[in-house]
Amino acid sequence: MSRCIITLTSGILFIILNLHAGAQNYAAQRGHAGDDLYVFCRKNITSTSIQQFYLIGEHGQKISVQYTIPYPATDNDLNLKNFVADPTPGILFCTSLTNADTSIYKSTDSGKSWQRLNTLFNGLTPPISLLGGSVAGEIITTERLFVTSYNIGSTNDYFATHTINATHSSYFTKPEVGITSGELYGINNAFTSSRDFLLHSADFGVTIDTIPIDSAVVYNPNGNQAQKICHGTQPGEIYLVTTEAGQTGFPHIYTIYHSTDYGHTYALRSSAKFDETSSCTEFTGGREDCSFYELNWKFDPILQCQVLQVFYSSDCGLTFTLFEHTLDDHVDIKEIPETTQNKLLIYPNPASDNTVISCKLAKPSLLSVEVYSAQGACVFKSTPEWNPDGDFVKTIFTKTLSAGLYTIQLRGDGKTVSSGTLLISR
């Protein structure tokens, strides 16, 4: 299910998601063209589940599954959270999940397939981050050597060669590339002072300018804290995302600032408020002028599924248009066993935390999925969208249901078109 929801204006607090301990399962970055993004996330936040890599287009209106990591995936070593998109259409890179393995994975088909490269680094672990440069083939890496030192490296030929440019005693928090070759940004959260600092390098990290962030924007320890830097599209243009210091519970508030002079001054653009349904929020600039994105994952208790919200701004973060995508409507159909017309397939069955139902059917005027207990009570109902190809797929989360036998009915045009039984066991 994908739909445009509302346009948000400056000054309005909109409820999206909060960054917390589960954030290692989420990532978002600009893509190759002006209006596309790549997103990696868990398929659902309520239980152990598969992870998927998505391509989002038309400023958030369209979504497609590029790659799926099933659960369990003991043989899969793709660290898709640490991915980067090259300016060349279709080319992506990511690191290995294993600290003892310094290999890099490459995709030439927008993440649909990945090839392992035998690239070795001087650091003891794989790169902490990969950052796509402004020209094809250029990738900047940060690599931790020890607790107190790290390397900044780079390649300009897709890892055919790799150069260590500098070793530093402090680390770029959430590094970000700029718009010129070799440009790199980061944040230094100076918890012992009253200010945070913007880090900027124009030469692949060889020299770094440390710019105090205006205390009116960020002030520690009693005010805001710099959370993330995002690139713009013009020289010196960046976005600064801050959080309120000392936040330990909900709601959490993020504030977006915009700078056009390499972070020497900032203009307030908008604020965002996050509630307890959240799992993660990510931010990124786009490749079009004034484009900025906020991506939000939340659990919808009514639909019993995870919803991806894409907030798109074309005015540097002042106003946003929201597009929503129910991720369970984007199951890769190739993973689903074959079924016949109007036959309801339920798997796994018996189920514990979740089950998937699928069916091939002619298009009804109204489609609903209903789950009934042995006592005849309706314990779940949903009205998902119908796939034009006739393939209906829906994930039902059964973790909150008691063990026992249930009836699943697929209803369309006021009648039951298919049904089956589901056993929930613990």
Side-chain angles (χ1 to χ4, degrees):
M1 177 176 64
S2 303
R3 50 187 175 141
C4 175
I5 305 297
I6 195 171
T7 298
L8 302 164
T9 58
S10 177
I12 295 178
L13 296 181
F14 48 94
I15 297 176
I16 51 177
L17 305 179
N18 174 50
L19 288 164
H20 62 47
Q24 68 270 19
N25 296 302
Y26 302 85
Q29 289 191 23
R30 66 180 179 178
H32 311 291
D35 62 356
D36 62 6
L37 302 172
Y38 287 97
V39 173
F40 172 67
C41 65
R42 289 175 59 182
K43 187 149 178 31
N44 201 280
I45 64 178
T46 59
S47 63
T48 302
S49 61
I50 61 178
Q51 296 176 313
Q52 290 188 312
F53 191 68
Y54 298 91
L55 174 61
I56 295 177
E58 296 186 10
H59 307 110
Q61 297 183 64
K62 289 189 175 182
I63 184 171
S64 61
V65 177
Q66 301 298 101
Y67 193 86
T68 299
I69 301 177
Y71 180 85
T74 55
D75 295 331
N76 192 295
D77 195 37
L78 292 175
N79 184 10
L80 286 175
K81 180 182 183 295
N82 199 13
F83 72 89
V84 65
D86 187 75
T88 303
I91 295 184
L92 298 162
F93 292 89
C94 75
T95 61
S96 167
L97 280 171
T98 307
N99 285 341
D101 183 0
T102 56
S103 61
I104 298 292
Y105 289 86
K106 178 182 179 181
S107 174
T108 58
D109 54 7
S110 300
K112 294 179 180 179
S113 62
W114 295 84
Q115 173 192 4
R116 183 180 183 273
L117 306 179
N118 293 319
T119 302
L120 298 178
F121 293 90
N122 294 331
L124 300 179
T125 63
I128 302 170
S129 62
L130 301 180
L131 304 169
S134 60
V135 297
E138 179 182 285
I139 298 173
I140 300 175
T141 63
T142 57
E143 308 154 34
R144 189 181 299 280
L145 293 176
F146 306 102
V147 175
T148 58
S149 64
Y150 72 99
N151 288 334
I152 296 181
S154 63
T155 175
N156 60 8
D157 52 16
Y158 297 123
F159 292 104
T161 60
H162 173 256
T163 302
I164 298 297
N165 302 311
T167 300
H168 296 277
S169 59
S170 59
Y171 177 62
F172 277 69
T173 300
K174 297 188 176 180
E176 175 71 281
V177 293
I179 66 167
T180 60
S181 178
E183 188 174 29
L184 179 67
Y185 287 97
I187 299 172
N188 184 356
N189 295 124
F191 296 101
T192 58
S193 75
S194 62
R195 286 190 175 183
D196 286 346
F197 297 90
L198 175 71
L199 307 177
H200 177 249
S201 175
D203 54 8
F204 296 95
V206 175
T207 59
I208 298 176
D209 295 326
T210 302
I211 305 168
I213 298 176
D214 187 349
S215 60
V217 175
V218 176
Y219 183 84
N220 287 322
N222 299 316
N224 295 332
Q225 178 180 326
Q227 175 69 27
K228 187 174 184 181
I229 288 291
C230 298
H231 53 73
T233 60
Q234 301 298 319
E237 182 186 25
I238 57 174
Y239 297 90
L240 171 68
V241 181
T242 70
T243 59
E244 292 190 344
Q247 292 184 130
T248 58
F250 297 102
H252 287 223
I253 298 175
Y254 284 74
T255 304
I256 302 165
Y257 296 88
H258 183 234
S259 175
T260 57
D261 58 4
Y262 297 93
H264 291 280
T265 61
Y266 297 88
L268 171 65
R269 302 303 287 175
S270 57
S271 294
K273 186 176 182 180
F274 309 94
D275 71 1
E276 62 274 8
T277 65
S278 65
S279 63
C280 182
T281 304
E282 280 288 348
F283 306 85
T284 184
R287 291 190 182 272
E288 297 175 316
D289 288 347
C290 298
S291 62
F292 185 76
Y293 295 86
E294 298 183 7
L295 293 99
N296 154 49
W297 290 264
K298 74 172 186 178
F299 180 72
D300 190 311
I302 298 177
L303 296 177
Q304 287 286 295
C305 62
Q306 182 169 231
V307 175
L308 169 62
Q309 296 179 311
V310 182
F311 294 86
Y312 165 64
S313 174
S314 60
D315 54 11
C316 302
L318 182 64
T319 62
F320 290 84
T321 299
L322 168 62
F323 302 97
E324 281 192 343
H325 304 280
T326 304
L327 295 187
D328 288 312
D329 290 343
H330 296 279
V331 176
D332 189 343
I333 200 68
K334 292 181 294 185
E335 298 177 354
I336 300 170
E338 287 294 326
T339 185
T340 57
Q341 188 79 8
N342 288 0
K343 180 180 179 181
L344 186 63
L345 180 64
I346 306 171
Y347 63 99
N349 191 5
S352 177
D353 291 344
N354 58 70
T355 190
V356 177
I357 64 173
S358 66
C359 188
K360 293 181 181 294
L361 70 164
K363 183 178 180 180
S365 59
L366 178 64
L367 176 66
S368 67
V369 178
E370 301 173 9
V371 180
Y372 293 88
S373 67
Q375 291 74 34
C378 183
V379 296
F380 175 86
K381 184 175 182 179
S382 177
T383 55
E385 289 187 353
W386 176 84
N387 187 310
D389 295 330
D391 297 311
F392 165 78
V393 179
K394 181 66 181 177
T395 300
I396 299 176
F397 297 95
T398 57
K399 193 173 185 178
T400 59
L401 299 178
S402 301
L405 191 65
Y406 293 80
T407 300
I408 299 180
Q409 292 186 5
L410 188 61
R411 295 182 58 83
D413 298 323
K415 61 182 179 181
T416 300
V417 295
S418 188
S419 64
T421 59
L422 168 67
L423 177 63
I424 299 178
S425 61
R426 298 285 187 259

